[in-house]
Amino acid sequence: MLNKTQIRFCLDKMGEMFPDAHCELNHSNPFELVIAVALSAQCTDVLVNKVTKDLFQKYKTPEDYLAVPLEELENDIRSIGLYRNKAKNIQKLCRLLLDEYHGEVPRDRDEMTKLPGVGRKTANVVVSVAFDIPAIAVDTHVERVSKRLGICRWKDSVLEVEKTLMNKVPKEEWSVTHHRMIFFGRYHCKAQSPQCGECPLLEVCREGKKRMKRKRDGK
């Protein structure tokens, strides 16, 4: 497991590599961000942005999503995986926003997770990006990078990864660290072909060292 100095080294290096890391889901308000993040489950941000380009022109408010038949909404997001389930959740979410929250997205993470289709990760993204509240959302990239580097244990659950990162990263850096780790995992430390040979974190990365040794040994 990495010590405090090594974690600081990793955070600084990722900051140098991706100083402008940010949420890549296009949105113009908290409500649109909730919809975009809900659509992004098991789907790329690039595809979500293609769909929301037209979707957010057609639907501006929770009322708009409820004003059409479910089949119409399904058709509007058909190119996204799990579109039937996501369309159903979006309409339920919009109904709850109107019934319980005056049509506004709640700023509290625990309240937000009461919305259909909104889990802890989604809520963390929204409070961090839309409301500037410190949070670390553990998606597939954050989890992979944390475990490969040795910040977290291989056996840690998503919630354990989140708690470990919250303990080991200064609170004022939670949100930017979340974005930098996503960029690092998405564009450098990829799932299938991580760029270990040219990685500035190789000297402290347990997984990278193993991979490079296997490569040298011809395995």
Side-chain angles (χ1 to χ4, degrees):
M1 299 288 284
L2 297 189
N3 61 36
K4 196 173 180 180
T5 304
Q6 290 170 321
I7 291 172
R8 182 71 263 165
F9 170 78
C10 291
L11 297 178
D12 290 342
K13 284 293 176 186
M14 282 190 265
E16 289 171 16
M17 293 173 75
F18 302 105
D20 302 317
H22 59 281
C23 176
E24 293 192 294
L25 290 169
N26 295 333
H27 64 281
S28 58
N29 56 56
F31 175 60
E32 287 187 353
L33 182 59
V34 169
I35 299 296
V37 182
L39 290 172
S40 73
Q42 298 177 42
C43 178
T44 66
D45 288 1
V46 172
L47 179 55
V48 172
N49 286 337
K50 276 185 186 173
V51 170
T52 56
K53 186 178 179 186
D54 292 328
L55 194 74
F56 291 162
Q57 289 296 314
K58 180 174 179 179
Y59 304 97
K60 304 283 189 184
T61 65
E63 289 91 343
D64 292 341
Y65 285 95
L66 293 168
V68 299
L70 179 62
E71 294 73 21
E72 185 173 337
L73 180 55
E74 285 178 352
N75 202 48
D76 289 335
I77 62 171
R78 185 174 289 274
S79 57
I80 283 182
L82 308 173
Y83 71 91
R84 283 197 177 91
N85 199 41
K86 289 176 180 178
K88 200 180 296 178
N89 277 335
I90 286 171
Q91 287 199 332
K92 285 182 183 173
L93 178 156
C94 289
R95 171 52 57 204
L96 195 62
L97 282 179
L98 290 170
D99 290 348
E100 302 289 336
Y101 302 103
H102 309 290
E104 299 291 328
V105 175
R107 295 172 66 95
D108 181 79
R109 183 183 65 190
D110 294 333
E111 288 295 315
M112 210 180 293
T113 56
K114 293 177 184 176
L115 300 174
V118 175
R120 188 178 178 91
K121 185 202 82 173
T122 299
N124 277 333
V125 171
V126 177
V127 298
S128 167
V129 175
F131 301 125
D132 208 23
I133 297 168
I136 294 178
V138 179
D139 72 347
T140 179
H141 302 297
V142 173
E143 182 178 7
R144 181 174 69 252
V145 169
S146 300
K147 291 181 175 180
R148 278 181 175 173
L149 284 171
I151 297 173
C152 301
R153 301 171 300 177
W154 287 114
K155 64 179 183 178
D156 283 350
S157 67
V158 170
L159 184 56
E160 286 170 331
V161 170
E162 182 187 329
K163 287 180 176 176
T164 298
L165 290 172
M166 286 167 71
N167 283 331
K168 296 186 175 183
V169 175
K171 187 172 184 178
E172 64 273 15
E173 295 179 44
W174 286 358
S175 296
V176 72
T177 294
H178 149 75
H179 292 306
R180 286 171 179 168
M181 288 182 91
I182 288 175
F183 270 52
F184 184 74
R186 185 177 284 161
Y187 302 114
H188 184 81
C189 188
K190 300 174 186 176
Q192 299 303 324
S193 51
Q195 299 168 39
C196 301
E198 54 207 58
C199 183
L201 306 186
L202 182 60
E203 64 188 81
V204 299
C205 179
R206 63 178 177 186
E207 179 67 11
K209 287 175 187 172
K210 278 186 203 166
R211 285 173 181 265
M212 295 307 290
K213 185 176 185 303
R214 286 199 297 267
K215 202 171 180 182
R216 284 196 301 272
D217 295 345
K219 292 179 182 176

